[in-house]
Amino acid sequence: MITAWAVAVTEAFSPAGTILLALATGLVLWWARRSWRVPVYVFGSVALAAGITYLLKFVFERQRPPAIDRLVFEADYSFPSGHATGTAALACAAAVVVCGMLRRPVSMALVWAAALGLSVLVAATRLYLGVHWFTDTAAGFCVGAGTALVLSALIDPGRAPGLVAAGGAATRRSSESGPHEGRSHEGGPPEARSHGGGASEG
């Protein structure tokens, strides 16, 4: 029972599976945020992290645990774990976007806890199935999470373009109209005061 459950989880969050999930997640979050940056960011994080992992596998050429300990078949190199990489990239990217729509710190903490929990769950299934060493999954998590966080600093998907524009406009209106509003309450606009003074003198 546990083995079948672990196999189901590891298949759902395979490198190819996380690419498809990134597409679906990006579309759902795009619908919520109405910003093209969101799907590009989510999909880009997973795709870039997968590419980095693919290159690292051939750099290190680390062999997997002994075949007698494996419960599923794997043929490529072990380090880092592609499953852990893709899951961490997807979970962290989604957490960045979702937290951009939240205001309460408690809600944000719960979102990040869920992202971390999903990453740990997938990594644990890879260890249970005997196809990775612990350092493989740890490195995969670092690659995936690191890629998502670095890209978030470059793209900033948590702020929709409309909100940025509205905030900038509000700031400009406040800085331009603040001093005049204060004087209008005291004695009206400067033009009115100047005309009033001229009438009294004439």
Side-chain angles (χ1 to χ4, degrees), residues 12-31 36-50 85-94 97 118 148 151:
F13 291 93
S14 65
T18 51
I19 291 291
L20 295 177
L21 289 172
L23 285 172
T25 302
L27 290 176
V28 171
L29 293 175
W30 169 83
W31 180 84
W36 61 267
R37 299 179 185 182
V38 170
V40 170
Y41 166 64
V42 174
F43 181 79
S45 297
V46 176
L48 179 58
T85 298
T87 303
L90 175 59
C92 290
V97 176
L118 178 61
L151 288 183

Side-chain angles (χ1 to χ4, degrees), residues 13-197:
F13 291 93
S14 65
T18 51
I19 291 291
L20 295 177
L21 289 172
L23 285 172
T25 302
L27 290 176
V28 171
L29 293 175
W30 169 83
W31 180 84
R33 295 307 306 254
R34 291 296 193 272
S35 172
W36 61 267
R37 299 179 185 182
V38 170
V40 170
Y41 166 64
V42 174
F43 181 79
S45 297
V46 176
L48 179 58
I52 294 173
T53 295
Y54 182 79
L55 292 177
L56 290 176
K57 283 180 179 289
F58 287 94
V59 169
F60 290 96
E61 296 185 349
R62 186 178 191 179
Q63 299 301 316
R64 293 182 181 272
I68 193 174
D69 296 329
R70 304 179 203 170
L71 300 179
V72 294
F73 175 77
E74 294 287 355
D76 61 344
Y77 292 117
S78 181
F79 181 92
S81 167
H83 288 68
T85 298
T87 303
L90 175 59
C92 290
V96 168
V97 176
V98 172
C99 285
M101 299 184 287
L102 302 176
R103 295 181 180 275
R104 299 179 59 187
V106 174
S107 300
M108 296 180 186
L110 291 176
V111 170
W112 279 108
L116 179 60
L118 178 61
S119 301
V120 171
L121 173 64
V122 174
T125 62
R126 302 301 286 169
L127 296 176
Y128 173 82
L129 295 173
V131 291
H132 278 294
W133 309 99
F134 173 77
T135 49
D136 299 339
T137 58
F141 174 82
C142 291
V143 171
T147 301
L149 295 178
V150 168
L151 288 183
S152 72
L154 298 177
I155 299 178
D156 190 18
R159 300 176 64 189
L163 294 179
V164 175
T171 301
R172 289 194 299 271
R173 287 195 302 268
S174 175
S175 61
E176 292 173 359
S177 63
H180 297 292
E181 290 177 354
R183 287 195 297 269
S184 65
H185 285 298
E186 294 173 0
E191 294 81 359
R193 292 200 306 272
S194 63
H195 290 306

